[in-house]
Amino acid sequence: MDRVNKILLIEDVEADAELIALQLKRAGIIPDLQIISTSEELKESLKLPPDLILSDYNLPGFTGMDALKIARKRLPDVPFILISGVIGEEQAVEAMREGAADYVLKGRMDRLGPAVMRELEGAEKRRYDRIIQMVRMRTEEVSGVASWEYDVRSGNVLQTPKAYELYNLPANKEMTLEMNREIYDERSLELIDEELDRAIKEGKPYQMDLTLTGKGREGRIIRVHGYPWIEDGEVTTLFGTLEDVTDKIEREAELKRLVAELKESAEELAVSNAELEQFAYIASHDLQEPLRMVSSFLTQLEKKYGDLLDEKGKQYIHFAVDGAARMRSIILDLLEYSRVGQRQYELTEVDTEKMVKELVQQFSSHLKESGGKVIVGNLPVIRSAFTPLQQVFRNLIGNAIKYHEKGIQPIVQVRAERKRREWLFLISDNGMGIDPRYHLKVFEMFQRLHPREHYSGTGIGLAICKKVIENQGGRIWVESEEGKGSTFFFILPDMEKSR
């Protein structure tokens, strides 16, 4: 025993005290020995509990029995050993009845070391057992899981207080395996017999869900985990846990039901969206031919009978041709919108800086006409679908150049920022701006904020941008105020390192 043990010795003879200390050291005990001889000193010393108390039987002013009673009253868990020159059988029995752990005759001091060693080890084990019990009880309070133990040979069942609470039984009721018939239904009893028999024969752990029938707990589900303890090749004990899982099972069933409903709704929505996109594609495609015919015949009509028409008639033909052209433009954009998400584009490395600069060249005539410019910052190389991403940049940069006040040179900036595992792209302009009330509306189909006479377009471009970005796992939004320009933001996942 390497630990220093605090031992309180009640002894009035110095030579006897030295002999006791020597016997302890011979037994390998390292004592922190405090020697006292009066009842007043004993009461004071017990304020700081020792690991063990040794006491002479005959003391001046009081006896070893008096010391035992004082110690048992104040520190009932500390081992107390009496040491006496002569102690009769009657006195020894009385001492043990009062709570002495042992007694040693001074003529047999060779017994002292082993007796002290045994009691110190026992006290330490009891201390650890109390700690374990406290931890177990606290764990049961928090987790709601009880513990049990079944002695295969005797049939006795030991359970922690939480188990009695789960069964709604009095805590002092003695448990046996037969009592299961009072608390479980027939199916559960059959399962208990099967699993216990298998565990005892095969020495394997098991789990089973049992249904209670007892008063106040009827229908509750108890989940039992069992583990075998094997000695000399034979299962001697089964131990494990009990847990009321009724609420958990109900929650799991409800969650499964909700997941199934959600999956069904998602499938229905996917079918609906696919049908809608297919309808839009077919409708858009089939409507183009009649429009081409209308436009063509109106143009031929104007050429052949133009001399016979007055200005009003020519104006009507112009309106009809222009309406057909705008309808065709809307159909083409609708067709493009329906295609987003239908085609499976291969993800490739896209140099977004190169892409944007090439798009700016396509807008060169508009920039020259307005005196505007596009400033391109350092943009990354990312993994993306090339064509849809190019369409997003084309729409956003084209809008930034288009929507500016007369007489003001449009200035557009395109830049990007790294955000952890994402890239944030920003397209800013000094244009007309957008009222905050319309920040969400602009991404809806056919939504226009300006008269068609002033600015061309169908009102589908931003809806296409939104659909493309969301299909790639990103999102898009705008920050703007009227007269203060706009900044369109969109985020895309960083699927591969940038340059």
Side-chain angles (χ1 to χ4, degrees):
M1 184 174 287
D2 297 330
R3 188 167 75 87
V4 176
N5 295 277
K6 185 179 179 182
I7 297 177
L8 179 62
L9 174 59
I10 309 170
E11 177 60 70
D12 62 324
V13 179
E14 185 177 346
D16 287 348
E18 291 177 356
L19 178 61
I20 289 169
L22 180 62
Q23 290 295 331
L24 294 176
K25 290 178 181 177
R26 283 178 177 175
I29 299 167
I30 306 172
D32 176 8
L33 202 61
Q34 180 186 3
I35 303 172
I36 62 172
S37 59
T38 68
S39 60
E40 288 75 18
E41 289 176 324
L42 173 61
K43 292 173 184 177
E44 186 65 29
S45 299
L46 293 180
K47 292 179 180 179
L48 295 174
D51 295 317
L52 181 135
I53 301 172
L54 298 173
S55 177
D56 190 4
Y57 189 82
N58 294 308
L59 296 161
F62 80 125
T63 67
M65 289 298 297
D66 295 329
L68 174 60
K69 291 175 182 178
I70 294 171
R72 287 285 71 84
K73 185 177 180 180
R74 300 197 177 194
L75 298 173
D77 294 330
V78 175
F80 190 107
I81 298 177
L82 276 170
I83 302 173
S84 175
V86 179
I87 184 171
E89 183 177 342
E90 196 174 305
Q91 294 166 316
V93 170
E94 182 188 359
M96 300 300 285
R97 187 167 53 240
E98 289 293 335
D102 204 347
Y103 64 91
V104 177
L105 296 174
K106 289 187 177 180
R108 294 291 310 276
M109 290 297 283
D110 57 311
R111 286 190 62 246
L112 180 63
V116 170
M117 180 77 77
R118 181 182 64 249
E119 292 305 322
L120 286 173
E121 289 176 349
E124 189 169 12
K125 183 179 182 302
R126 288 192 295 275
R127 184 164 56 250
Y128 283 131
D129 287 345
R130 284 196 302 274
I131 292 171
I132 290 170
Q133 183 66 12
M134 289 170 61
V135 171
R136 177 184 288 176
M137 290 178 67
R138 180 57 181 156
T139 302
E140 288 187 359
E141 288 177 12
V142 174
S143 67
V145 178
S147 303
W148 60 271
E149 185 176 308
Y150 169 59
D151 189 312
V152 175
R153 293 167 181 168
S154 68
N156 291 333
V157 179
L158 298 176
Q159 298 184 131
T160 53
K162 186 67 180 179
Y164 291 93
E165 182 183 325
L166 293 178
Y167 291 143
N168 197 28
L169 293 174
N172 59 354
K173 191 176 182 70
E174 186 177 351
M175 287 295 296
T176 63
L177 200 60
E178 284 300 311
M179 288 189 62
N180 284 328
R181 303 194 179 281
E182 300 178 20
I183 57 179
Y184 288 120
D185 66 8
E186 287 299 324
R187 185 200 66 84
S188 298
L189 293 174
E190 293 174 4
L191 193 57
I192 291 172
D193 291 340
E194 291 173 7
E195 291 296 342
L196 289 187
D197 186 59
R198 185 182 296 112
I200 293 170
K201 287 180 179 178
E202 301 177 7
K204 295 180 180 179
Y206 61 90
Q207 174 188 312
M208 53 185 174
D209 287 352
L210 309 177
T211 305
L212 292 177
T213 59
K215 182 180 178 182
R217 305 290 290 170
E218 189 170 0
R220 305 294 294 182
I221 308 298
I222 301 297
R223 179 162 293 164
V224 181
H225 287 92
Y227 306 90
W229 180 266
I230 301 174
E231 294 180 3
D232 298 325
E234 180 183 357
V235 175
T236 59
T237 306
L238 295 172
F239 65 95
T241 59
L242 304 167
E243 181 185 6
D244 187 336
V245 294
T246 311
D247 296 337
K248 183 186 293 185
I249 289 173
E250 289 176 355
R251 287 194 299 269
E252 288 174 353
E254 178 66 11
L255 182 60
K256 286 180 181 178
R257 185 186 67 78
L258 292 173
V259 168
E261 287 183 2
L262 184 61
K263 185 178 180 181
E264 185 179 351
S265 298
E267 290 173 351
E268 290 175 356
L269 183 62
V271 170
S272 175
N273 286 341
E275 291 175 349
L276 184 62
E277 288 179 350
Q278 184 67 14
F279 171 77
Y281 178 82
I282 293 171
S284 301
H285 187 273
D286 291 348
L287 282 173
Q288 288 188 71
E289 183 57 31
L291 281 173
R292 276 196 293 268
M293 289 180 64
V294 169
S295 181
S296 176
F297 278 110
L298 285 171
T299 302
Q300 291 299 321
L301 182 65
E302 185 178 22
K303 284 182 179 178
K304 189 168 185 178
Y305 301 105
D307 295 339
L308 303 176
L309 296 174
D310 59 10
E311 287 301 316
K312 183 72 75 175
K314 292 179 180 179
Q315 189 178 34
Y316 289 160
I317 290 176
H318 171 74
F319 287 157
V321 171
D322 182 63
R326 284 191 285 108
M327 177 61 79
R328 185 170 186 276
S329 180
I330 290 173
I331 288 172
L332 289 173
D333 282 350
L334 185 60
L335 184 61
E336 189 61 41
Y337 182 83
S338 70
R339 285 171 176 165
V340 175
Q342 280 193 334
R343 292 181 187 172
Q344 294 297 319
Y345 290 96
E346 182 183 355
L347 295 180
T348 59
E349 282 198 354
V350 178
D351 186 336
T352 56
E353 186 174 324
K354 180 181 178 183
M355 174 188 283
V356 170
K357 287 181 177 178
E358 288 176 353
L359 285 172
V360 171
Q361 291 299 316
Q362 296 177 20
F363 291 108
S364 58
S365 60
H366 297 282
L367 292 171
K368 185 176 181 180
E369 182 182 330
S370 62
K373 60 180 179 179
V374 178
I375 302 168
V376 182
N378 293 323
L379 304 182
V381 174
I382 64 172
R383 282 188 65 80
S384 182
F386 183 91
T387 302
L389 184 60
Q390 185 184 54
Q391 189 174 24
V392 170
F393 278 117
R394 180 184 289 111
N395 287 346
L396 294 177
I397 295 172
N399 285 350
I401 295 171
K402 182 197 301 183
Y403 295 106
H404 68 277
E405 297 285 2
K406 299 284 185 185
I408 297 179
Q409 295 178 333
I411 298 175
V412 182
Q413 296 186 56
V414 184
R415 54 195 177 91
E417 297 176 6
R418 181 71 175 272
K419 300 289 184 182
R420 293 187 179 180
R421 298 186 62 81
E422 299 174 322
W423 277 103
L424 172 66
F425 291 89
L426 305 89
I427 295 88
S428 305
D429 63 57
N430 62 339
M432 303 168 66
I434 302 170
D435 189 314
R437 291 177 297 170
Y438 304 118
H439 283 183
L440 296 177
K441 187 178 180 180
V442 294
F443 293 102
E444 297 175 8
M445 291 181 63
F446 305 118
Q447 297 300 320
R448 299 180 55 87
L449 302 182
H450 307 286
R452 184 177 291 104
E453 296 76 23
H454 298 163
Y455 297 96
S456 62
T458 61
I460 296 180
L462 290 179
I464 291 175
C465 291
K466 184 174 184 291
K467 193 172 182 182
V468 169
I469 295 301
E470 290 180 352
N471 278 350
Q472 296 196 32
R475 57 192 180 92
I476 185 170
W477 70 98
V478 64
E479 294 179 4
S480 177
E481 291 183 34
E482 278 191 296
K484 296 185 178 181
S486 303
T487 299
F488 281 82
F489 303 81
F490 68 88
I491 282 178
L492 288 176
D494 180 17
M495 297 182 183
E496 202 160 301
K497 66 180 182 178
S498 65
R499 72 181 179 193

